[in-house]
Amino acid sequence: MGGDGQSDGETYEVGYGESQTTVNSANFPTDEKLYVYAVQSGWMNWPSVMQAFKEQYGVELNDDDRSSGEALQDARSNAQNPTHSAFNGGYSYAIQAMRDGLTQAYKPANWDKVPENAKTDNGHCTGTRKVTTALTYRKDIYDERGLDEPETWEDLLHPDIMQDLALQTPQAAVGLAAALSINNARGGSLDDVQPVIDYYNRIQEGGAEYTDNFLAQFTRGEYSSFIRYDYSGLDLKYNNDDVAEENVGVALLSGENGNKGAFNALYGYAMLANAPNPEAVKLFMDYVLSIEGQQHFLDAYARPIRASEMEMPDEFPDQSTYDRTEFTVDQTELNDKQEGIIQDITRGAGL
């Protein structure tokens, strides 16, 4: 990815295969930021990614704080005059953006290192990292209440857990992953989401709240538990000074009957059609997929898509726990049914 100086700017070789090309820093945004959907400063160590990219290439990214669903809707609304150069978020949302005709082909450098089931052959969508639905809880508060570490989603129906449990609605990729996890654990399927609807109605009656902002309240002890990803809890446990490491627990959950209950969620990106800053965003996409870029995710305990080439920290739960609880679904089927699933859960649970 190196460059050589020229009078009109620095040049960089980017892309893989038919996407290989040369970009010039003279064409990078200088008076404005590079806009990429759902690059969020509080999410998966993006501050480190954004800062490192700016230091190396002089391009500042916008902190685009919105969910994958909100990003997709905005991209649709601005399809004729795009404001952003790439979509970054839940992989199934990137697939939907492609199906909506909002993306263009670009295979980043190291595209060949990405597993076949985490990219599209046409180069429109590429996975960059994966995370697994998990419960993060305050061990100290659970001890005070005489609660054991949860092992199943049924365990969360205890009144002393439901009363201050936080989670997100399925409009966000992380919220959809939680819903799919609970639904699978309770015997549901992509064609039957009644199990999670019933579950959501019950935990709401018990006091659970749907909110995007709960980390600060968790560190203060106002929420004793939240449902997000394994990375969220591990990053909070090991990279946050506001709560003692020993007071944070992270649990991958299953169903009482042995059904798996920890959805493995793929995240990735897609270059948008008519991107306003195509050369800069190609370089950014290359950086994210480089080992250096991938390390930023691993530093926050999000598993990089190139994890097989990297040394994984010991802080992750034992692989046997993932083997026992983790599952995925067919990405194409999920994409076909995703909007209907979200609508059914939202209406059924009154979210």
Side-chain angles (χ1 to χ4, degrees):
M1 197 189 299
D4 53 73
Q6 291 186 350
S7 58
D8 59 347
E10 196 85 2
T11 59
Y12 302 93
E13 299 300 317
V14 299
Y16 171 81
E18 63 268 32
S19 293
Q20 284 186 290
T21 188
T22 302
V23 298
N24 194 304
S25 63
N27 299 320
F28 295 171
T30 53
D31 297 331
E32 61 181 26
K33 298 177 181 179
L34 175 61
Y35 282 76
V36 176
Y37 280 117
V39 169
Q40 305 170 48
S41 67
W43 187 242
M44 295 191 190
N45 210 21
W46 280 111
S48 180
V49 178
M50 295 159 69
Q51 183 61 31
F53 186 74
K54 180 181 178 182
E55 290 176 356
Q56 288 193 40
Y57 303 109
V59 178
E60 183 175 2
L61 277 99
N62 182 60
D63 184 5
D64 198 77
D65 190 11
R66 57 180 115 203
S67 71
S68 299
E70 292 168 339
L72 178 58
Q73 186 56 49
D74 192 75
R76 288 168 171 165
S77 300
N78 292 284
Q80 300 306 312
N81 187 23
T83 57
H84 290 56
S85 294
F87 176 91
N88 163 74
Y91 186 77
S92 62
Y93 292 82
I95 294 291
Q96 187 59 56
M98 177 185 71
R99 290 185 169 184
D100 288 350
L102 301 175
T103 65
Q104 62 176 298
Y106 178 67
K107 295 179 179 179
N110 294 301
W111 184 86
D112 58 322
K113 306 294 179 57
V114 177
E116 293 298 323
N117 62 358
K119 61 188 177 186
T120 57
D121 290 339
N122 63 8
H124 279 244
C125 304
T126 305
T128 59
R129 62 229 188 261
K130 59 181 181 178
V131 285
T132 302
T133 298
L135 176 80
T136 300
Y137 64 99
R138 287 288 298 266
K139 285 186 173 182
D140 52 339
I141 296 176
Y142 273 44
D143 287 343
E144 291 172 3
R145 297 175 182 175
L147 299 169
D148 296 326
E149 174 179 347
E151 296 181 354
T152 71
W153 287 101
E154 301 305 308
D155 292 340
L156 302 195
L157 298 177
H158 192 291
D160 288 341
I161 296 179
M162 288 190 293
Q163 67 176 348
D164 50 10
L165 170 66
L167 66 163
Q168 290 167 271
T169 65
Q171 281 82 0
V174 61
L176 178 60
L180 294 175
S181 297
I182 296 166
N183 198 58
N184 194 76
R186 292 169 66 84
S189 68
L190 295 183
D191 294 315
D192 175 19
V193 294
Q194 193 60 45
V196 71
I197 291 173
D198 294 342
Y199 190 92
Y200 277 0
N201 283 321
R202 185 167 174 185
I203 62 173
Q204 285 183 93
E205 292 174 0
E209 295 183 357
Y210 292 82
T211 173
D212 293 338
N213 300 305
F214 46 75
L215 294 182
Q217 294 94 319
F218 178 84
T219 60
R220 293 195 297 265
E222 296 169 14
Y223 289 120
S224 69
S225 320
F226 68 80
I227 301 167
R228 228 178 192 184
Y229 291 133
D230 53 350
Y231 114 83
S232 314
L234 294 170
D235 189 40
L236 183 65
K237 181 178 179 69
Y238 296 111
N239 290 336
N240 191 306
D241 295 330
D242 293 331
V243 58
E245 177 182 318
E246 62 271 17
N247 287 339
V248 179
V250 180
L252 304 175
L253 305 177
S254 60
E256 281 196 330
N257 56 0
N259 288 339
K260 295 188 174 185
F263 179 70
N264 183 234
L266 180 64
Y267 278 70
Y269 51 28
M271 186 174 174
L272 293 175
N274 302 312
N277 287 293
E279 296 198 12
V281 82
K282 287 179 180 179
L283 185 61
F284 175 68
M285 292 173 73
D286 277 23
Y287 178 76
V288 170
L289 207 55
S290 70
I291 287 295
E292 179 184 343
Q294 295 275 285
Q295 184 64 47
H296 294 289
F297 298 135
L298 193 55
D299 288 344
Y301 303 100
R303 287 177 288 171
I305 204 66
R306 297 180 64 185
S308 63
E309 304 171 59
M310 306 169 74
E311 185 175 349
M312 300 298 285
D314 293 335
E315 289 85 354
F316 278 97
D318 189 82
Q319 183 59 45
S320 63
T321 304
Y322 284 100
D323 294 340
R324 179 173 51 82
T325 61
E326 190 175 56
F327 73 98
T328 188
V329 298
D330 181 83
Q331 290 289 338
T332 301
E333 183 183 5
L334 175 59
N335 185 263
D336 290 339
K337 299 174 179 178
Q338 178 169 301
E339 292 197 8
I341 288 172
I342 293 172
Q343 289 178 4
D344 289 347
I345 296 173
T346 300
R347 292 169 182 166
L351 303 179

